[in-house]
Amino acid sequence: MDLKGRVAVVTGANQGFGRAVAERFVRAGADVLLVARGEERLRQVRDELSPLAEHSGQQVLALRGDVARPEDCSAVAEFARKHFGGATVLVNNAGVYGPMGALDEVDWEAWADAVRINLCGTALMCRALIPLMRARGYGKIINLSGGGATAPL
């Protein structure tokens, strides 16, 4: 698949499935913005994926961001606008397991944090990037989820 000219923002891109998704987008020719909370690992992934860019001008950039923070999501959108002229693909991959156990027994703040990241973070990134997609006349949003969404732990 040729994705030259597309700009993909991938959250949770500094490890595991997010990193693998980002790599596929790079190999397919897209410009890619890697987003995650772990800045050191994020820079390492950027450095690993950048040499895979084969098209002239193709870029792999990284920005530390927490999808649960509206200001970070806005910063991601502004970064994408400034460096890529917008975004055409959003891959919402960032997520955490959160506490496991009975609702009345788990740490409430840890549970609420998981909801902020897994639910609100997905919505916040969509809200931040949809205007960029509309401006470019094209957009795709891919929301990923682990098994905890269908079989809570």
Side-chain angles (χ1 to χ4, degrees):
M1 181 180 326
D2 183 10
L3 296 178
K4 186 176 180 184
R6 301 290 188 214
V7 176
V9 175
V10 182
T11 68
N14 66 344
Q15 61 184 339
F17 195 69
R19 185 206 181 284
V21 168
E23 181 177 335
R24 293 292 293 189
F25 273 96
V26 172
R27 288 185 185 277
D31 290 313
V32 177
L33 175 55
L34 309 165
V35 179
R37 293 183 298 178
E39 191 166 14
E40 183 178 329
R41 181 73 182 124
L42 187 62
R43 281 194 305 261
Q44 181 181 350
V45 170
R46 179 201 59 209
D47 293 347
E48 292 168 2
L49 298 184
S50 290
L52 303 177
E54 294 182 353
H55 296 294
S56 175
Q58 183 183 3
Q59 298 181 80
V60 178
L61 301 178
L63 181 66
R64 190 221 167 271
D66 183 342
V67 299
R69 297 171 43 93
E71 60 273 20
D72 284 13
C73 296
S74 294
V76 168
E78 179 57 24
F79 189 93
R81 188 199 59 74
K82 180 179 177 184
H83 293 277
F84 297 114
T88 54
V89 179
L90 168 61
V91 179
N92 278 312
N93 175 68
V96 297
Y97 279 111
M100 295 180 211
L103 183 61
D104 61 337
E105 296 173 3
V106 297
D107 177 84
W108 179 254
E109 282 307 310
W111 187 89
D113 258 359
V115 170
R116 279 190 287 273
I117 294 165
N118 297 341
L119 176 61
C120 298
T122 297
L124 287 168
M125 284 303 301
C126 289
R127 284 177 56 92
L129 292 179
I130 285 172
L132 298 179
M133 294 175 181
R134 282 191 179 128
R136 289 189 69 158
Y138 178 89
K140 297 286 182 184
I141 298 172
I142 303 165
N143 295 320
L144 302 174
S145 174
T150 55
L153 302 172

